[in-house]
Amino acid sequence: EPEVTQTPSHQVTQMGQEVILRCVPISNHLYFYWYRQILGQKVEFLVSFYNNEISEKSEIFDDQFSVERPDGSNFTLKIRSTKLEDSAMYFCASSPTGSPLHFGNGTRLTVT
Amino acid sequence: QQQVKQSPQSLIVQKGGISIINCAYENTAFDYFPWYQQFPGKGPALLIAIRPDVSEKKEGRFTISFNKSAKQFSLHIMDSQPGDSATYFCAASIGWAGTASKLTFGTGTRLQVTL
């Protein structure tokens, strides 16, 4: 069964550094999402992306965040200047029609 | 108004028993209600979903009951098995197919099924 693939599985970075989290969505999917989950808490929506543009973003998704689909297969989340509170598990998801969402296994981001 | 409230926070059920997890929402515009199962170190995986035009949906041992007037929905796991031990999230969204609708998740229920 096709899967959403995320790399790296764990990223450690220093506060203020830029990080790029990478995702390869399922190949025929058209809708792409990033969610995050702070340890032990609920999954929170960050951004949705369709037709090469952001469809919706949450209040968490401020100017420090950006998304890009640089080619036909990758979908990336960039955090320009990481803060301690950005430490979380970041999940990429994709969907052929907007629903249901298929999630990857996540990237654990640790900001020190 | 966008919140989805989930209870209980944790649940211990004996093998063969029924697990029941409840969720409540406020936004009457929500029209898609999925349940996700998450194992440690994995992403959430869709378990079962319902739309408000039906009051119940059953898939194998998993049943969603939906009460539109009360703005509540629940997941019932019949004949619970140790392999069902996971964290369960309810969620809700406005719109589903054809829209890049965001999911609003509940706070999760950690289910442990004992032998």
Side-chain angles (χ1 to χ4, degrees), chain A residues 43-57:
Chain A
V43 181
E44 298 177 292
F45 170 79
L46 291 178
V47 66
S48 58
F49 191 86
Y50 171 71
N51 203 25
N52 288 318
E53 61 182 24
I54 290 174
S55 301
E56 188 174 358
K57 57 184 180 180

Side-chain angles (χ1 to χ4, degrees), chain A residues 11 13-22 34-36 46 60-68 76-90 107-111:
Chain A
Q11 173 97 43
T13 189
Q14 288 191 326
M15 195 168 50
Q17 295 297 303
E18 174 183 287
V19 295
I20 297 176
L21 310 183
R22 303 182 190 277
W34 284 100
Y35 285 76
R36 80 173 186 187
L46 291 178
I60 302 168
F61 194 88
D62 60 22
D63 292 344
Q64 294 300 310
F65 290 86
S66 62
V67 290
E68 193 176 44
T76 62
L77 174 69
K78 181 192 290 186
I79 309 174
R80 285 188 187 78
S81 179
T82 50
K83 302 187 281 274
L84 293 174
E85 54 264 38
D86 293 328
S87 294
M89 184 74 90
Y90 288 80
T107 293
R108 179 172 298 283
L109 176 65
T110 302
V111 182

